[in-house]
Amino acid sequence: MNKKTHFGYKEVDEVDKAKYVGDVFTSVAQNYDIMNDAMSFGMHRLWKKILVELASVGDRDMILDIASGTGDISKLISKEYPDTNILMSDINFEMLNEGRNRAIDESFASNCSYCQLNGEALPFRENTFDLITVGFGLRNFTNKENGLIEMKRCLKRNGRLLVLEFSKPMNPIFSKIYDWYSFNVLPKLGSLLASDSESYQYLAESIRMHPDQELLKQMMLDSGFSNCKFYNLVNGVVAIHIAYND
Ligand code: SAM
């Protein structure tokens, strides 16, 4: 019998999940940036800035941005640290291509290169990167543990992994309002702005299926990271985990 996993609330064969996720991002690629601004009231820009502030980027760091999508995080790092080497990477060609076009159009391509890859099987040697970032990508992995183990393997000693991801609100009343927003407003926004309510229904469901702050921290420690801490943003709607490879 095939191993099962979740695609949002649906149970699917593990071997099929990457294709379903791929279909979602192929469908949203062109409207991804507009939708991000609309759904988060622009707050995702601030969350990404905070991630870069917390990353302690070194001037000449080798950086892997996994699930880089349209390149927000790579752009912030590139503009602030022009002597770093940034590898933008994504499993989905359309998203990676949007990111690459944007890097050229918005003049941050000079220290960026591009690689289509699956974050669960990284095609790099041990000890390659000083910093790995994953912004709103880990939630979509078929096997998050495999991904984390791979990230740890590819980090240099003293390297850092920063994961920005939706998480679990702390306050129960706020949590109820957030649930209402996610399941009533998000799919409608998707339908209105991107003619695609299904992908945004998946977004809401995948957030609920993602491990909460403490569980993700434990998964990082179990993957071999020596230390891990997290910061809650907007009452835990989003969290930034930093894991160290000491
Ligand atoms: N990091 C960008 C940001 O924060 O705006 C894009 C995030 S977007 C929500 C999620 C991205 O994860 C998509 O571009 C998707 O193709 C990518 N992704 C999903 N599964 C992946 C995997 N296994 N390996 C690499 N990228 C993956």
Side-chain angles (χ1 to χ4, degrees), residues 145-156:
E145 285 86 353
N146 283 356
L148 293 171
I149 290 168
E150 276 292 85
M151 293 170 206
K152 152 90 176 73
R153 182 183 66 75
C154 294
L155 274 175
K156 292 181 190 167

Side-chain angles (χ1 to χ4, degrees), residues 36-54:
N36 255 0
D37 277 333
M39 287 182 312
S40 73
F41 309 103
M43 280 188 294
H44 73 104
R45 293 166 184 262
L46 179 64
W47 301 335
K48 288 165 184 167
K49 277 193 183 146
I50 295 173
L51 176 139
V52 174
E53 286 309 309
L54 290 172

Side-chain angles (χ1 to χ4, degrees), residues 32-85:
Y32 179 79
D33 291 327
I34 297 171
M35 277 301 294
N36 255 0
D37 277 333
M39 287 182 312
S40 73
F41 309 103
M43 280 188 294
H44 73 104
R45 293 166 184 262
L46 179 64
W47 301 335
K48 288 165 184 167
K49 277 193 183 146
I50 295 173
L51 176 139
V52 174
E53 286 309 309
L54 290 172
S56 311
V57 182
D59 284 340
R60 297 189 172 273
D61 274 0
M62 287 284 296
I63 300 165
L64 175 63
D65 185 10
I66 297 180
S68 55
T70 54
D72 281 352
I73 292 172
S74 295
K75 177 179 173 181
L76 286 172
I77 298 176
S78 170
K79 295 269 180 188
E80 200 170 333
Y81 304 95
D83 293 329
T84 53
N85 271 296

Side-chain angles (χ1 to χ4, degrees), residues 25 32 48 67-68 90-92 95 117-119 135-136 140-141:
F25 286 104
Y32 179 79
K48 288 165 184 167
S68 55
D90 201 289
I91 198 169
N92 183 286
M95 290 294 280
L117 56 70
N118 184 346
F136 300 113
N140 302 294
F141 281 29

Side-chain angles (χ1 to χ4, degrees), residues 99-157:
R100 179 178 160 277
N101 288 343
R102 192 168 163 220
I104 295 164
D105 293 346
E106 297 182 21
S107 310
F108 63 96
S110 60
N111 60 338
C112 291
S113 40
Y114 317 91
C115 181
Q116 188 176 3
L117 56 70
N118 184 346
E120 295 167 45
L122 297 174
F124 308 109
R125 287 171 198 262
E126 287 75 9
N127 309 318
T128 303
F129 298 100
D130 301 285
L131 171 65
I132 297 180
T133 59
V134 193
F136 300 113
L138 191 64
R139 193 183 68 248
N140 302 294
F141 281 29
T142 302
N143 189 321
K144 299 172 187 56
E145 285 86 353
N146 283 356
L148 293 171
I149 290 168
E150 276 292 85
M151 293 170 206
K152 152 90 176 73
R153 182 183 66 75
C154 294
L155 274 175
K156 292 181 190 167
R157 186 120 194 270

Side-chain angles (χ1 to χ4, degrees), residues 3-8 10-27 90-95 116-121 137-144 202:
K3 274 177 105 181
K4 299 285 183 188
T5 187
H6 287 282
F7 172 70
K10 293 192 195 89
E11 200 181 55
V12 297
D13 287 345
E14 224 178 57
V15 287
D16 293 332
K17 176 163 172 173
K19 184 193 169 309
Y20 295 135
V21 170
D23 290 347
V24 167
F25 286 104
T26 299
S27 157
D90 201 289
I91 198 169
N92 183 286
F93 175 79
E94 280 77 11
M95 290 294 280
Q116 188 176 3
L117 56 70
N118 184 346
E120 295 167 45
L138 191 64
R139 193 183 68 248
N140 302 294
F141 281 29
T142 302
N143 189 321
K144 299 172 187 56
Y202 162 72

